[in-house]
Amino acid sequence: AIRRVVNRASERAKHERLAQMRQITRTAELSDLLMNQRTEQRAAAIGTLLRSVIAITVWTIAALTILPLLGVNVAPLLASAGVVGVALGFGAQTLIKDYLSGIFIIIEDQYGVGDMVDVGSVMGTVEEVALRYTRLRDPSGVVWYVRNGEILRVANRSQGWTLAIVDIPIAYNENLDRVREIVEAVAVDMDEDPDYDDLLLGRPSFAGVESVSGEAVIIRITAKAAPEKQVSVARTIRERMKTAFDRAGIVVPVVVRQLPNVPGGQNPPRTGPRAR
C-alpha cells in the first residue's frame, strides 16, 4: 500500500512542468510553488520512513504472537521490557539520537531522495534517507553513509530556486540605456524560448552597474534558475549576450589585472640594458 501511494504521488509530480512558473514574478510565490512541487522526493523519503516503522511493528507483533504458541510465557518479558528499555536508553543513546534525527529530517523535509545537499562532512546526491543514516553519492561517484545524529547543518541545493549571476564588462563610453535595451531584448527571447523551460524560472533582468573603473563598466545580469541549473543558465546568458553585443557593436574591453608584488612590497628589479 505504501509503495502504491508513493508511486501515485511521484507520477502526479512528474506531470508538473517548470514552464508553468514563468508567469510568477514574486519570489515568495515562486518559492511556495517550488516547495509544493517536491512531492516526488518527499513521497520517497516518507515512504522509506513508513516502511521502516511498519516493518518493526509487524515483526514485533509477530514475535509476541509466535512465542506463546511455542510455549514461551511472554508476561515476564513484557514486565521486564521497561527495565530493558531504560538500560538500552543509556547504552544506545547514539542510536536513539540517530533515529530521532532521521524522523525529524523526513518530517521537516530538510532534504529528500535526489536532492544535492552539503551536510558539512560531505556533499553529494541523496540516494536513500533511512531512520539511522543518509546515503549520499558525491560527484566522483563515492557512496557515503552519514549518521543522521551527526548532521548538524544541511545546505540543500535542490530546494526552491537558484540565482544565476553574470557580470559582463563594457567600454566606459558605451551608452547604458542602449546596453539595457539589448539585455532586455535577449531576456525576452530566452523567456519565450521553449528550450529553456527546464532551466529558467523567470525572465533574466538587468540588475545594473556592479562596478566602474577607468577601463570598463561592469554590468550585472541575474536570472532565477531551476535547482542546480544556475551554471548552465549563466553560460547561456554569456553566450547570447556576446552574440547580441557583436551585432550591436558593443565593445567588450580587455580588463588588465595587475600582478601582485613580490614579498617585501617591491616588484622584481629589471635586468639587462634597460635596467638604467
Side-chain angles (χ1 to χ4, degrees), residues 5-53:
V5 173
V6 171
N7 293 335
R8 191 177 305 164
S10 300
E11 290 297 329
R12 192 186 313 117
K14 290 179 182 179
H15 291 296
E16 299 175 355
R17 291 189 53 79
L18 295 174
Q20 301 173 357
M21 307 173 192
R22 292 293 187 88
Q23 304 301 324
I24 299 178
T25 57
R26 294 183 58 189
T27 301
E29 295 177 356
L30 177 61
S31 299
D32 292 340
L33 182 57
L34 284 169
M35 293 301 293
N36 291 336
Q37 285 195 336
R38 287 177 48 84
T39 306
E40 188 174 357
Q41 294 94 333
R42 188 173 177 82
I46 294 179
T48 302
L49 172 62
L50 292 177
R51 282 194 294 267
S52 300
V53 172

Side-chain angles (χ1 to χ4, degrees), residues 99 198 207 229:
Y99 275 84
D198 295 334
K229 299 296 183 181

Side-chain angles (χ1 to χ4, degrees), residues 104-161:
F104 282 108
I105 286 174
I106 295 174
I107 293 177
E108 295 173 356
D109 193 24
Q110 297 180 17
Y111 53 79
V113 177
D115 286 351
M116 173 66 72
V117 299
D118 182 355
V119 295
S121 57
V122 64
M123 181 183 70
T125 303
V126 179
E127 292 190 341
E128 182 183 1
V129 183
L131 286 178
R132 192 180 65 85
Y133 65 89
T134 296
R135 188 178 71 200
L136 304 173
R137 186 178 297 272
D138 66 14
S140 62
V142 179
V143 177
W144 296 77
Y145 292 86
V146 183
R147 287 171 40 203
N148 294 330
E150 297 298 323
I151 299 177
L152 301 180
R153 62 177 179 86
V154 178
N156 194 326
R157 302 188 177 187
S158 301
Q159 280 188 356
W161 50 272

Side-chain angles (χ1 to χ4, degrees), residues 94-252:
T94 303
L95 185 62
I96 296 174
K97 178 182 177 182
D98 294 339
Y99 275 84
L100 291 177
S101 299
I103 293 174
F104 282 108
I105 286 174
I106 295 174
I107 293 177
E108 295 173 356
D109 193 24
Q110 297 180 17
Y111 53 79
V113 177
D115 286 351
M116 173 66 72
V117 299
D118 182 355
V119 295
S121 57
V122 64
M123 181 183 70
T125 303
V126 179
E127 292 190 341
E128 182 183 1
V129 183
L131 286 178
R132 192 180 65 85
Y133 65 89
T134 296
R135 188 178 71 200
L136 304 173
R137 186 178 297 272
D138 66 14
S140 62
V142 179
V143 177
W144 296 77
Y145 292 86
V146 183
R147 287 171 40 203
N148 294 330
E150 297 298 323
I151 299 177
L152 301 180
R153 62 177 179 86
V154 178
N156 194 326
R157 302 188 177 187
S158 301
Q159 280 188 356
W161 50 272
T162 55
L163 188 66
I165 301 176
V166 177
D167 292 336
I168 301 178
I170 60 174
Y172 185 85
N173 58 350
E174 290 289 350
N175 189 334
L176 289 180
D177 293 334
R178 181 166 173 249
V179 172
R180 183 192 298 270
E181 293 177 358
I182 296 174
V183 172
E184 291 177 351
V186 172
V188 171
D189 291 340
M190 293 184 64
D191 187 48
E192 296 177 351
D193 193 338
D195 292 338
Y196 301 120
D197 284 352
D198 295 334
L199 299 177
L200 280 176
L201 299 182
R203 181 181 300 177
S205 62
F206 180 83
V209 177
E210 182 65 19
S211 63
V212 179
S213 67
E215 300 171 338
V217 176
I218 308 297
I219 63 171
R220 171 162 292 186
I221 304 171
T222 61
K224 293 177 183 178
E228 305 177 39
K229 299 296 183 181
Q230 68 271 22
V231 176
S232 300
V233 171
R235 290 172 178 170
T236 303
I237 292 176
R238 292 189 188 98
E239 179 181 350
R240 300 194 63 151
M241 289 307 306
K242 195 269 182 187
T243 303
F245 281 168
D246 289 344
R247 292 175 180 173
I250 302 295
V251 178
V252 178

